[in-house]
């Protein structure tokens, strides 16, 4: 049984877009809840970071589809398939991690403060945390998807 190279490369494109989009959607759903609770423009940072995960999939899918030709070899097709799978699964894991972190922030009703100042309406001191710490956590969770993008870029060549 032989594998169709065009099918494998096309599946790599589809997996990249679908899995990255799934991870981005999960993270965005929790990020949006967080942003609605905070009424601050800086609360949109997690929404933007979650959306970047979907862009990673689109980048790889575009690069793969631009290399699909009639002269596509089976080994190149497997590379493209694994490139789509690697960026897709990495962004899915990243999105679930971001979503779980933001879900926890929403469940505990945490509020971030900037520059050590808190507004009186923000509640008790035990519910406050640093905006810098919050963004750093999201950056490290986003890095998982970025690592998948780097691997996929290497595989696509």
């Amino acid at each position: 049984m032989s594998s169709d190279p065009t099918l494998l490369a096309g599946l790599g494109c589809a997996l990249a877009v679908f899995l990255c989009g799934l991870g981005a959607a999960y993270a965005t759903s929790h990020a949006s809840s967080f942003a609605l609770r905070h009424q601050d423009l800086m609360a949109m940072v997690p929404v933007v970071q979650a959306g970047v995960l979907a862009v990673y999939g689109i980048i790889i899918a575009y690069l793969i589809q631009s290399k699909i030709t009639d002269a596509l070899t089976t080994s190149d097709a497997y590379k493209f398939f694994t490139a789509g799978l690697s960026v897709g699964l990495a962004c899915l894991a990243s999105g679930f991690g971001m979503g779980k972190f933001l879900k926890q922030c929403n469940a505990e009703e945490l509020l971030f403060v900037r520059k050590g100042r808190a507004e009186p309406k923000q509640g008790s001191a035990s519910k406050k945390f640093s905006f810098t710490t919050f963004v750093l956590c999201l950056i490290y969770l986003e890095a998982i998807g970025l690592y998948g993008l780097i691997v996929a870029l290497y595989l696509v060549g």
Side-chain angles (χ1 to χ4, degrees), residues 28-46:
T28 302
S29 67
H30 294 292
S32 298
S33 298
F34 183 84
L36 287 173
R37 272 190 47 245
H38 279 80
Q39 303 298 320
D40 186 4
L41 188 60
M42 297 304 284
M44 292 299 292
V45 169

Side-chain angles (χ1 to χ4, degrees), residues 18-102:
F18 177 73
L19 293 175
C20 288
L22 188 62
Y26 185 78
T28 302
S29 67
H30 294 292
S32 298
S33 298
F34 183 84
L36 287 173
R37 272 190 47 245
H38 279 80
Q39 303 298 320
D40 186 4
L41 188 60
M42 297 304 284
M44 292 299 292
V45 169
V47 176
V48 173
Q49 281 187 304
V52 169
L53 294 176
V55 174
Y56 293 165
I58 292 171
I59 290 169
I60 293 302
Y62 175 77
L63 291 175
I64 292 172
Q65 70 83 26
S66 67
K67 294 190 177 196
I68 296 176
T69 62
D70 291 335
L72 184 66
T73 64
T74 305
S75 65
D76 284 340
Y78 275 113
K79 283 182 189 178
F80 298 157
F81 178 75
T82 55
L85 201 58
S86 69
V87 72
L89 290 176
C91 287
L92 182 65
S94 179
F96 279 150
M98 289 174 71
K100 190 168 173 98
F101 173 70
L102 291 164

